[in-house]
Amino acid sequence: MNKNNNASTAERILDIAQDLLQRQGYNGFSYQDIAERVNIRKASIHYHFPSKGNLAVNLCARYVDQFLDRLHQIDTKHSSCWTRIRELTRVYSRMIRDKEKLCPIIMLSAEIEALPPAAREHLQRFIRETEYWLGQTLKQGQHANELQFTGSAQSQSRILLASLQGAMLVARASGDKRHYQRIADDLLQQLQVPSAPYQAVG
């Protein structure tokens, strides 16, 4: 098997593992489940990821890198700070609409005791970097008289991230995907200054 095929197989394994994780949780799937979806032997999965802990580390690293890259893309594409935050809510909205998946960070955090230290470090990196991005966006939006909130930008960033992730859990528990949408709309409306025209998440 050449290097390209090796890389392709490893990515396919990670894709399937993430899909299973987002729907069933870290302890809700096995290498056998992955093998059946990818149509390879379990031994082949162990070749790429010797243990489930090793798989978790690689999965966390890849997802966090992808998510932070998405935040950078949002910054590049949108000058409006309110629109940037709206786009973040849409990232989560697409997850909950896709077979009621949850954010991998939520699923992994719920079972953090089962994860190796390196995976936990990536979870912490996600929280640290996402809260920082939100804090900077909120601060810039406040200075531009585009966003309003009480307290510091960093404090609000923690509240906002926790609220969006919590909204995903509530939406799944309620059985109504639109529940997340309503919560996201409420958060966005509270942040927007009264003089600016409000746009729903959609």
Side-chain angles (χ1 to χ4, degrees):
M1 186 179 290
N2 62 40
K3 290 183 178 180
N4 287 337
N5 285 339
N6 270 329
S8 176
T9 301
E11 285 298 305
R12 179 63 176 156
I13 291 169
L14 289 172
D15 289 342
I16 295 301
Q18 182 172 319
D19 180 73
L20 291 167
L21 168 70
Q22 289 184 262
R23 291 187 289 110
Q24 300 170 198
Y26 180 65
N27 287 318
F29 70 93
S30 66
Y31 271 24
Q32 182 61 41
D33 296 318
I34 299 173
E36 290 174 359
R37 291 274 298 274
V38 184
N39 196 27
I40 59 176
R41 295 178 298 112
K42 284 198 295 182
S44 297
I45 302 176
H46 283 287
Y47 170 79
H48 293 281
F49 306 103
S51 68
K52 195 173 182 182
N54 177 262
L55 175 68
V57 172
N58 282 272
L59 194 59
C60 286
R62 187 183 76 151
Y63 178 74
V64 174
D65 288 344
Q66 290 173 344
F67 191 91
L68 296 179
D69 183 61
R70 183 58 190 273
L71 295 184
H72 175 71
Q73 292 175 21
I74 289 173
D75 282 342
T76 301
K77 186 175 181 180
H78 303 283
S79 59
S80 162
C81 291
W82 183 88
T83 301
R84 290 175 182 175
I85 295 175
R86 183 196 63 188
E87 290 304 303
L88 173 60
T89 71
R90 285 178 167 176
V91 171
Y92 287 132
S93 179
R94 283 189 286 272
M95 287 184 199
I96 201 70
R97 289 201 301 262
D98 183 9
K99 299 179 182 177
E100 297 184 354
K101 291 181 182 178
L102 293 181
C103 172
I105 301 302
I106 295 174
M107 301 300 267
L108 290 167
S109 296
E111 301 176 88
I112 195 166
E113 293 302 321
L115 301 179
R120 301 183 194 187
E121 289 173 7
H122 286 298
L123 296 184
Q124 292 164 3
R125 179 166 67 97
F126 171 88
I127 295 169
R128 183 173 62 252
E129 295 294 331
T130 305
E131 286 184 348
Y132 177 79
W133 180 85
L134 276 168
Q136 292 298 108
T137 304
L138 288 163
K139 188 183 298 182
Q140 292 171 17
Q142 188 180 54
H143 289 165
N145 197 34
E146 185 182 1
L147 300 176
Q148 62 177 3
F149 52 88
T150 59
S152 69
Q154 276 311 114
S155 175
Q156 186 64 31
S157 74
R158 291 192 291 269
I159 293 170
L160 189 54
L161 180 59
S163 297
L164 290 174
Q165 292 188 329
M168 295 186 77
L169 289 168
V170 172
R172 174 181 269 194
S174 71
D176 182 1
K177 298 178 185 180
R178 295 171 299 178
H179 201 71
Y180 167 85
Q181 202 82 355
R182 288 190 286 266
I183 294 172
D185 276 339
D186 288 342
L187 290 169
L188 287 166
Q189 192 168 25
Q190 290 168 17
L191 284 173
Q192 194 170 39
V193 295
S195 57
Y198 177 69
Q199 303 173 37
V201 175

